[in-house]
């Protein structure tokens, strides 16, 4: 039953995550937290490995097939900042978790912050046609924005989220579909840095290697399916997918807040 639940959640999360450019971890992490099948730290690490596989496959395929819409002026600095933020975000989570007698209680903090960030992003997405986008040119500013995105994604244990896409749309005037592709590179580097830091410092939590392998295989398959869907939809449809995903994430976050607090 554990294998079935984890693989089905991964399949759904990674298809939707690739389409929306937010990484599958934003659904895998809160859903598995809600089921209580393993500790918060184990779910975070397992979700991180799955997101790395998913985003690596999606970004790699789009680059190899020259379908990529990466903004090579800003995105490399955003991605580098996200990698640094991923390390800082993981350290911040450990500091917060150490304040509780039961480290799993930190899952409630993550859920509350995810709810707030997703609600703010949803409100922006609904009203973005009335908000004039900016065109950030400074590489220092791009680095700082990437740092903030990486820190938030790593602290939440999800790699990235719909707030990545909203930030790219607002600060870099990217249409939704272009923002999703650039977001996945940010997710990849942020989650890679965070997961490697965990592995080399505190060590990976105890996991079933077969379960990890199954989830990675499902993530890659789902990422390819999501990539094909993303190619066939327009910006309006991509926005609808994103808004639906945010409503789902908010509902799960509310449940997890009551579960952990």
């Amino acid at each position: 039953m554990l294998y079935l639940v984890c693989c089905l959640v991964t399949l759904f999360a990674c298809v939707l995550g690739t389409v929306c450019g937010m990484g599958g971890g934003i659904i895998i992490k809160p859903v598995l937290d809600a089921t209580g099948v393993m500790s918060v730290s184990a779910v975070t690490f397992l979700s991180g490995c799955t997101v790395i596989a998913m985003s690596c496959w999606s970004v790699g395929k789009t680059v190899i097939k020259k379908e990529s819409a990466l903004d090579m002026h800003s995105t490399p600095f955003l991605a580098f900042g996200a990698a640094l933020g991923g390390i800082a975000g993981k350290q911040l989570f450990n500091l917060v978790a150490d304040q509780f007698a039961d480290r799993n209680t930190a899952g409630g903090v993550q859920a509350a912050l995810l709810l707030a960030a997703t609600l703010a992003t949803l409100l922006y997405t609904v009203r973005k046609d009335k908000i004039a986008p900016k065109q950030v040119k400074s590489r220092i500013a791009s680095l700082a924005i990437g740092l903030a995105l990486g820190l938030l994604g790593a602290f939440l244990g999800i790699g990235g989220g719909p707030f990545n896409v909203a930030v790219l749309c607002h600060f870099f005037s990217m249409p939704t579909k272009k923002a999703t592709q650039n977001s996945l590179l940010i997710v990849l580097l942020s989650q890679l840095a965070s997961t490697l830091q965990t592995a080399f410092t505190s060590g990976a939590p105890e996991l079933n290697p077969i379960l990890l392998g199954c989830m990675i295989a499902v993530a890659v398959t789902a990422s390819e399916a999501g990539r094909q869907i993303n190619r066939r939809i327009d910006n309006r449809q991509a926005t609808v997918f994103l808004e639906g995903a945010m409503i789902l994430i908010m509902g799960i976050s509310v449940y997890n807040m009551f579960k952990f607090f």
Side-chain angles (χ1 to χ4, degrees):
M1 181 59 73
L2 173 62
Y3 284 74
L4 180 61
V5 169
C6 290
C7 287
L8 286 177
V9 170
T10 301
L11 178 64
F12 173 73
C14 290
V15 169
L16 187 61
T18 302
V19 171
C20 299
M22 60 186 186
I26 195 168
I27 295 176
I28 296 172
K29 174 71 170 61
V31 169
L32 292 186
D33 277 346
T35 63
V37 294
M38 61 189 82
S39 69
V40 169
S41 60
V43 169
T44 298
F45 191 83
L46 192 63
S47 172
C49 292
T50 306
V51 168
I52 290 169
M54 180 214 92
S55 51
C56 186
W57 178 268
S58 182
V59 171
K61 284 295 291 289
T62 54
V63 171
I64 290 172
K65 292 197 170 187
K66 299 181 179 179
E67 301 168 347
S68 177
L70 296 180
D71 182 339
M72 297 313 296
H73 175 78
S74 301
T75 299
F77 293 90
L78 284 164
F80 181 67
L84 297 177
I87 296 171
K90 187 63 181 178
Q91 291 176 328
L92 181 60
F93 173 76
N94 288 332
L95 287 174
V96 171
D98 288 340
Q99 305 305 308
F100 300 99
D102 180 0
R103 286 178 61 90
N104 285 338
T105 307
V109 178
Q110 288 177 314
L113 184 56
L114 179 57
L115 174 63
T118 306
L119 176 59
T121 304
L122 179 60
L123 292 175
Y124 166 77
T125 303
V126 170
R127 296 179 56 84
K128 71 177 181 179
D129 290 340
K130 299 179 181 180
I131 302 173
K134 302 182 184 301
Q135 186 61 64
V136 173
K137 297 292 187 181
S138 167
R139 291 174 175 175
I140 299 298
S142 297
L143 188 68
I145 292 171
L147 181 68
L149 291 175
L151 190 150
L152 181 59
F155 179 83
L156 296 175
I158 59 174
F163 37 82
N164 281 21
V165 177
V167 166
L168 292 174
C169 289
H170 179 65
F171 287 101
F172 300 93
S173 300
M174 294 185 189
T176 302
K177 285 189 65 175
K178 181 177 181 179
T180 60
Q181 290 193 14
N182 285 268
S183 174
L184 284 175
L185 179 59
I186 295 170
V187 169
L188 171 60
L189 293 188
S190 169
Q191 194 61 65
L192 182 62
S194 175
T195 303
L196 287 176
Q197 183 197 26
T198 299
F200 287 118
T201 54
S202 57
E206 185 175 346
L207 295 171
N208 184 327
I210 298 177
L211 175 60
L212 176 59
C214 288
M215 288 182 65
I216 288 175
V218 171
V220 170
T221 304
S223 177
E224 180 61 23
R227 200 176 69 84
Q228 295 302 323
I229 293 172
N230 186 267
R231 290 176 59 193
R232 288 169 170 76
I233 61 177
D234 57 27
N235 282 302
R236 182 187 62 81
Q237 292 169 320
T239 300
V240 170
F241 271 106
L242 184 62
E243 291 173 348
M246 285 190 280
I247 293 171
L248 173 63
I249 292 161
M250 289 167 59
I252 298 169
S253 297
V254 170
Y255 174 83
N256 282 337
M257 285 172 60
F258 285 101
K259 173 183 172 64
F260 287 112
F261 284 141

